[in-house]
Amino acid sequence: MQRISTTPRPDWEKVVADQGLTFHLTDGRPYWDESAFYEFSAAQIDHLEAASQELHEMCLAAVEHVIARDLWAQFQIPDSLVPWITSSWGRRERSIYGRFDLWFDGRDIKLLEYNADTPTGLIEAAVVQWEWLKNRWGDAGDQWNSIHERLIAAWAGLRSESGDFLHVTSIDDGDEDFMTANYLRDTAVQAGFSTHYLGIDRIAWHPARRRFLDERGREIGLIFKLYPYEWMMREEFGTFVPNAPTRWVEPPWKMILSNKALLVVLWELFPDHPLLLRAALEPWGDSYARKPLLAREGANVSLVENGARVFETGGMYSGPFVYQELRMLPDFGGHFPVLGSWIVDGQAAGLGIREDSGLITGNGSRFVPHRFV
């Protein structure tokens, strides 16, 4: 594994925007950064793929454990949602995608967290870096990346279970969430779905019919949402969600996996597993990473070493927290990468890398492409 500097294409901004990455700048600085790439050996990619698949199976065992042991309080999940979540798991409602964030130095792999409900970074990983690879190396280039094809297959599987019409929703901001939701919508169309996009604020509740409706008055039977469940439950219509006939994607059982209390359960189920970092709901020493159970984009994370806070991020999230064994990100010349390993329809599907000049990956961190040889 190495980080290699290179020269960006002169028209890269137009190229990536045409491919759907319209949010390629963050505060005037490149978010998509092709001034470098990460290069791996084929053996390292095989290692990452096998580890990701193993982690996925471990997470499914964790869901079963949480439900069997009634660990809902540990996850801050209210009793009113429990029947809905357990029913969703009992039916094994299909999950389309998720993303593991991994620590990797070329040899060892450690799970940092699991973005199981609303992962982004998808257009960059599935489309833009693939086109970058082909533009630069043609057929001689290779990349761990079957994300796009697996997404289409996942939607086809869901369509065979649920009918041909899919609503898609997100925050309608024209930015990352909107573009990601509509990329997923495009892959669903390629799988044969008829689709309709509407902003999350356009979903209506009909009290007499006890149904969610779109802005045209059509019942919402199946909907993909790029909007966190914990936010939904705080909305005005949130109390109606568990008892409405609408089927949501990602499924409700993913609420367990999108909560960082998962890290504690995994450690309890698989103590000293080589892919895990020790995690608990209380600190056990004076060095740890403290993370809110529910947060996005690296917000409100603190890194504490020998009792001193060495790095932290701000944000709008608060406790309760999970405490994870401190493992500083590998340093590639002042660049600190986190590897995003995508799980699509239950299969390890590809890699996207974000890096920062700081020790915590956040909303402004850069996406850097990769290849393997």
Side-chain angles (χ1 to χ4, degrees):
M1 177 182 179
Q2 55 184 325
R3 187 183 191 274
I4 300 173
S5 296
T6 187
T7 301
R9 294 166 291 183
D11 59 345
W12 71 266
E13 292 186 59
K14 181 181 186 303
V15 170
V16 301
D18 288 346
Q19 293 164 355
L21 193 64
T22 56
F23 47 96
H24 53 73
L25 298 175
T26 301
D27 298 327
R29 295 176 290 109
Y31 161 64
W32 166 265
D33 186 358
E34 59 180 66
S35 67
F37 62 92
Y38 283 87
E39 185 175 271
F40 301 86
S41 69
Q44 288 171 328
I45 293 297
D46 289 343
H47 185 28
L48 287 163
E49 184 174 9
S52 300
Q53 196 64 47
E54 184 174 2
L55 284 168
H56 173 68
E57 300 302 326
M58 292 161 64
C59 286
L60 297 183
V63 174
E64 189 71 49
H65 179 76
V66 169
I67 292 174
R69 299 295 181 89
D70 287 326
L71 300 180
W72 308 106
Q74 183 172 320
F75 284 72
Q76 301 289 300
I77 293 176
D79 292 342
S80 60
L81 301 183
V82 170
W84 183 48
I85 295 171
T86 55
S87 176
S88 169
W89 175 249
R91 292 191 297 270
R92 296 301 192 270
E93 289 184 337
R94 186 181 295 265
S95 165
I96 297 297
Y97 76 146
R99 191 192 75 230
F100 290 119
D101 283 350
L102 304 176
W103 184 101
F104 185 55
D105 64 354
R107 297 177 301 276
D108 296 329
I109 299 171
K110 299 291 183 182
L111 174 64
L112 297 173
E113 56 190 64
Y114 189 17
N115 298 277
D117 183 17
T118 58
T120 53
L122 185 59
I123 299 172
E124 306 90 291
V127 177
V128 181
Q129 69 168 345
W130 180 257
E131 295 298 333
W132 164 87
L133 179 85
K134 294 306 175 185
N135 184 260
R136 175 159 182 150
W137 280 287
D139 292 337
D142 215 339
Q143 192 177 83
W144 181 28
N145 194 348
S146 60
I147 301 169
H148 183 82
E149 294 79 11
R150 288 187 183 275
L151 284 170
I152 295 171
W155 288 119
L158 181 63
R159 179 170 167 257
S160 70
E161 303 165 0
S162 60
D164 295 338
F165 195 83
L166 174 72
H167 283 88
V168 176
T169 190
S170 70
I171 297 174
D172 188 3
D173 58 358
D175 204 0
E176 182 176 16
D177 283 5
F178 173 84
M179 294 302 295
T180 301
N182 278 281
Y183 166 65
L184 284 160
R185 178 188 177 192
D186 179 68
T187 58
V189 169
Q190 292 183 57
F193 271 110
S194 298
T195 66
H196 175 70
Y197 175 84
L198 71 166
I200 192 77
D201 60 327
R202 305 296 294 172
I203 295 176
W205 173 252
H206 195 292
R209 294 169 58 186
R210 310 292 294 175
R211 298 287 190 274
F212 286 110
L213 309 178
D214 66 16
E215 72 275 41
R216 301 179 186 177
R218 295 177 298 188
E219 180 178 341
I220 298 175
L222 176 68
I223 185 167
F224 170 83
K225 57 155 199 70
L226 191 65
Y227 195 77
Y229 270 118
E230 64 268 21
W231 293 6
M232 282 177 57
M233 296 310 151
R234 294 198 299 261
E235 300 280 353
E236 182 180 356
F237 62 72
T239 56
F240 305 126
V241 171
N243 296 313
T246 299
R247 180 174 175 181
W248 301 86
V249 182
E250 291 293 298
W253 60 263
K254 292 292 285 290
M255 293 176 70
I256 297 172
L257 297 184
S258 64
N259 187 307
K260 292 183 185 65
L262 167 72
L263 302 172
V264 178
V265 171
L266 285 172
W267 186 257
E268 292 171 349
L269 287 176
F270 308 99
D272 299 312
H273 192 286
L275 295 177
L276 300 179
L277 296 169
R278 180 180 178 183
L281 295 176
E282 298 291 340
W284 62 89
D286 58 5
S287 295
Y288 51 81
R290 190 189 77 165
K291 305 175 179 181
L293 294 189
L294 296 167
R296 302 185 85 197
E297 298 286 0
N300 300 103
V301 174
S302 298
L303 305 182
V304 177
E305 187 172 31
N306 298 323
R309 191 168 297 175
V310 296
F311 205 89
E312 66 179 347
T313 56
M316 64 180 185
Y317 303 97
S318 58
F321 298 95
V322 65
Y323 297 82
Q324 190 178 44
E325 175 188 335
L326 184 63
R327 181 67 65 102
M328 297 299 190
L329 293 176
D331 185 351
F332 288 81
H335 306 280
F336 301 92
V338 169
L339 275 60
S341 178
W342 289 90
I343 300 293
V344 180
D345 202 21
Q347 299 296 315
L351 179 67
I353 302 172
R354 294 184 68 191
E355 66 173 23
D356 205 291
S357 54
L359 293 171
I360 298 174
T361 304
N363 194 44
S365 300
R366 302 174 297 276
F367 189 100
V368 181
H370 82 277
R371 73 165 187 163
F372 73 85
V373 295

